[in-house]
Amino acid sequence: MNKDKYFILDFDSTFTQVEALDELGEISLRQQEDKEEVLQQIKDITNSAMDGSSSFAEGLTQRLQLLQANKKDLQELITVLQEKVSHSIKRNKEFFAEFADQVLIVSSGFKEFIVPIVTPYGIKEENVFANTFRFDEQGNIIGFDEENVLCQDKGKIKLLDKLGLQGDVYVLGDGYTDYEIKEAGMANKFYAFTENITRNKVVEKAEHIAPSLDEFLYQNKLPMAISYPKNRIKVLLLENVHPKATELFQKEGYQIETIAGALSEEELCEHIKDVSILGIRSKTQVTAKVLESANRLMSIGAFCIGTNQIDLETSLKAGITVFNAPFSNTRSVVELALGEIIMLSRKIFDKSTKMHQGVWDKSASGSVEVRDKKLGIVGYGNIGAQLSVLAEAMGMQVYYYDVVEKLQLGNARKCDTLKQMLEISDVVTLHVDGRADNKNMFGSTEFDAMKDGALFLNLSRGHVVEIPALVAALKSGKISGAAVDVFPYEPATNDEPFLSELRGLDNVILTPHIGGSTTEAQENIAHFVPNRIMEYINTGNTYQSVNFPNIQLPELKDAHRLIHIHANVPGVLANINNALAHNQVNILGQYLKTNEQVGYVITDVNKAYDKQVISDLRKVPHTIKFRMLY
């Protein structure tokens, strides 16, 4: 065989996500009582052979004896394997079609199930080198063709020697037998494939690591389905973001680093270097100084509602999108607020504390129903509006105040001033955002305006309430009870003590910023935010970004997408189009959205174009960031 380059791919745990014989065992042994024990034996033998700890030939014989499989099991196995082709293999189908003559599958597995899996990807059957089964008259698998060198120890080396490939040989695989090809001098390069499994003994020997086929293609300047290997996108997740987010980012092929608590500004400046995606909750402060250190940051995900902890303006100027979860935890906050209103109205917290102290204080004094009471909601946004509906269903009369005109739901009544609402409300609850203008918006003047004996809740932002004024109102009896979930200063980790003047006061419920901390809410957030970020990374969509011009783009089909972020000054769009025209680029679609500070231009172009246009677009004056998708 005489070609310029050959690409040798393993099958098990490389072309597919799994070891085929392990999957065959799941099928052939399903009726056996000791199935799990036998499967574990098979897996142990497989792993021992794959990392070079034992004889491959002996292990193959042992595995087939344990499997007790039949020919009829193979069709079911093929169906299973078709669904378990590696993700990066699936998306690079065009590579295999283009290099069909140069791609070889070299496996110690079996042709009977390998050929049906790889040939739909354009790989030629004659380029599949693997073992074959032997069957008895009943179709039981009783062994393999012992004349085939691939059933022997160092079988892949013997096969490559026999093939005599003339040209550069690149090997991509997860096992020690794949590494041995390079060790024997039969290949120019060996790439340890770690998308599905990392075998430490193999990785330690390998000169090159390929977390995906994309990385292999990228390093060797071969055509690939995506514009950039996803394993080069690093994600930093802080503050115990729900594991579902990690799972979604890992499934996309990104590198993940997680840190349980929040980081200080200096710590974050150090950790954020080379990070493409940052995920935080409410404690981490993303300042201008942090953003200056963010040399590769593309997007920030706030796994919460608020974004006041992020310097949105500096992020925008740096071309960094910010996404949050404006709806995902609203129900959780609303339920906590309703529960606390009832608890405070019945003085449950104090009653419970006394019971734990052995005091039986059965009394109705100061205990009231919430029915017919007036609830005053400050901030009629997603949470406030939902709270009004549920509170009304419990029989409360709902009033609200908001600086922005909002559609009132049900029988909720709008108050023209905050003072008007405070004067009539039996319960006042805050649900405002964290903008700077709201700092200390609720102090002694507001508490004085409230009804004597009213209840007060703050589940919004810690800095919106003057804590000394709240303490004074509670001690004087002006306020008969309070529930506070957010504080001006909050411990960065669970190991740091909580200090507050509110501690120890009667009929005061203190919670550690858990309004949105339910399993359902955190999982919803962990779905929503990563999907918004990945949509932006993969397509350029900025829909629901809190700082970027919002644009929802059509699906990219048979085109390359040029994404240009620039300062919003006159003439940039003209310069972009001049660069495209100068390079005779055929434009299939162009989309523009701006705000006061930046412009966002997306241009879909025909795949055939002079690559000089990329360089020219990067040089357009006032360019902030440029990238390409395909």
Side-chain angles (χ1 to χ4, degrees), residues 353-421:
T353 300
K354 287 181 179 179
M355 290 290 284
H356 282 285
Q357 295 170 348
V359 178
W360 183 270
D361 181 20
K362 183 177 179 180
S363 170
S365 177
S367 180
V368 298
E369 294 181 350
V370 299
R371 181 175 52 177
D372 291 329
K373 301 302 183 292
K374 295 180 175 65
L375 173 64
I377 301 173
V378 184
Y380 202 69
N382 296 322
I383 293 173
Q386 188 174 160
L387 175 60
S388 78
V389 173
L390 297 186
E392 187 177 318
M394 294 180 64
M396 300 189 80
Q397 300 175 44
V398 179
Y399 297 82
Y400 72 90
Y401 172 74
D402 202 304
V403 295
V404 178
E405 192 66 35
K406 297 288 180 69
L407 174 66
Q408 59 198 53
L409 303 179
N411 295 312
R413 299 167 186 141
K414 179 187 177 184
C415 295
D416 295 327
T417 65
L418 177 60
K419 185 172 183 292
Q420 176 192 356
M421 192 204 74

Side-chain angles (χ1 to χ4, degrees), residues 564 566-583 587 590-592 594 599-601 603 613 616-617 619-623:
H564 193 278
H566 58 271
N568 187 12
V569 297
V572 177
L573 181 59
N575 288 333
I576 290 172
N577 287 331
N578 284 340
L580 295 170
H582 177 75
N583 288 278
I587 297 176
Q590 191 171 61
Y591 316 92
L592 167 68
T594 64
Y600 189 47
V601 178
T603 308
V613 72
D616 292 349
L617 289 172
K619 294 176 183 177
V620 169
H622 307 291
T623 296

Side-chain angles (χ1 to χ4, degrees), residues 133-181:
F133 288 119
R134 287 195 298 112
F135 304 94
D136 64 14
E137 293 180 357
Q138 288 74 42
N140 296 311
I141 296 174
I142 57 173
F144 48 84
D145 177 8
E146 296 177 3
E147 298 299 317
N148 190 326
V149 294
L150 288 170
C151 72
Q152 304 168 13
D153 289 332
K154 300 189 182 297
K156 292 185 178 182
I157 297 172
K158 295 172 184 177
L159 174 71
L160 267 290
D161 185 48
K162 181 179 178 181
L163 290 176
L165 303 178
Q166 300 298 310
D168 294 335
V169 176
Y170 301 85
V171 178
L172 186 68
D174 66 284
Y176 196 82
T177 57
D178 304 305
Y179 161 72
E180 286 180 326
I181 299 173

Side-chain angles (χ1 to χ4, degrees), residues 15 87-100 103 117-123 213-214 217 223-225:
F15 199 94
H87 296 300
S88 63
I89 298 287
K90 283 183 179 179
R91 62 175 168 260
N92 286 288
K93 193 172 182 178
E94 290 185 7
F95 163 75
F96 296 108
E98 183 174 344
F99 290 86
V103 175
I117 302 301
V118 303
T119 50
Y121 287 80
I123 295 170
L213 179 61
D214 308 304
L217 299 177
M224 57 192 212

Side-chain angles (χ1 to χ4, degrees), residues 255-485:
Q255 294 182 57
I256 315 293
E257 179 184 1
T258 60
I259 297 176
L263 296 179
S264 67
E265 184 179 60
E266 292 301 322
E267 290 172 329
L268 188 53
C269 284
E270 183 62 31
H271 276 82
I272 206 167
K273 292 174 183 175
D274 297 326
V275 167
S276 301
I277 299 169
L278 173 66
I280 63 170
R281 293 175 71 184
S282 56
K283 293 176 185 175
T284 301
Q285 302 296 310
V286 184
T287 63
K289 182 178 179 181
V290 169
L291 293 168
E292 285 177 10
S293 301
N295 57 322
R296 294 182 62 181
L297 193 60
M298 298 175 67
S299 192
I300 300 171
F303 286 74
C304 52
I305 295 177
T307 55
N308 57 294
Q309 71 276 37
I310 303 168
D311 188 332
L312 296 178
E313 184 174 347
T314 302
S315 298
L316 177 64
K317 290 179 179 178
I320 300 165
T321 56
V322 178
F323 295 91
N324 68 339
F327 316 111
S328 301
N329 67 354
T330 55
R331 176 71 183 205
S332 297
V333 178
V334 168
E335 287 187 5
L336 181 61
L338 277 176
E340 290 181 333
I341 290 170
I342 296 171
M343 295 271 283
L344 293 171
S345 298
R346 299 292 297 273
K347 298 187 182 296
I348 297 296
F349 189 75
D350 289 351
K351 298 288 186 185
S352 178
T353 300
K354 287 181 179 179
M355 290 290 284
H356 282 285
Q357 295 170 348
V359 178
W360 183 270
D361 181 20
K362 183 177 179 180
S363 170
S365 177
S367 180
V368 298
E369 294 181 350
V370 299
R371 181 175 52 177
D372 291 329
K373 301 302 183 292
K374 295 180 175 65
L375 173 64
I377 301 173
V378 184
Y380 202 69
N382 296 322
I383 293 173
Q386 188 174 160
L387 175 60
S388 78
V389 173
L390 297 186
E392 187 177 318
M394 294 180 64
M396 300 189 80
Q397 300 175 44
V398 179
Y399 297 82
Y400 72 90
Y401 172 74
D402 202 304
V403 295
V404 178
E405 192 66 35
K406 297 288 180 69
L407 174 66
Q408 59 198 53
L409 303 179
N411 295 312
R413 299 167 186 141
K414 179 187 177 184
C415 295
D416 295 327
T417 65
L418 177 60
K419 185 172 183 292
Q420 176 192 356
M421 192 204 74
L422 297 177
E423 289 173 346
I424 62 175
S425 299
D426 299 299
V427 182
V428 172
T429 180
L430 305 186
H431 299 286
V432 298
D433 61 33
R435 70 186 70 179
D437 291 347
N438 285 338
K439 184 175 182 179
N440 293 332
M441 66 164 285
F442 217 96
S444 56
T445 301
E446 288 70 33
F447 287 116
D448 289 343
M450 291 174 64
K451 292 173 67 173
D452 290 344
L455 301 174
F456 175 79
L457 288 82
N458 182 21
L459 286 80
S460 59
R461 300 291 184 274
H463 68 266
V464 304
V465 177
E466 293 180 3
I467 297 298
L470 173 57
V471 171
L474 286 162
K475 288 182 175 180
S476 70
K478 177 68 177 179
I479 303 300
S480 65
V484 183
D485 186 51

Side-chain angles (χ1 to χ4, degrees), residues 104 121 133 229 231 299 343 365 490 523 538 549 565 569 586 588:
L104 282 66
Y121 287 80
F133 288 119
N231 59 278
S299 192
M343 295 271 283
S365 177
E490 298 177 357
E523 189 164 350
N538 294 336
I565 305 168
V569 297
N586 182 27
L588 303 178

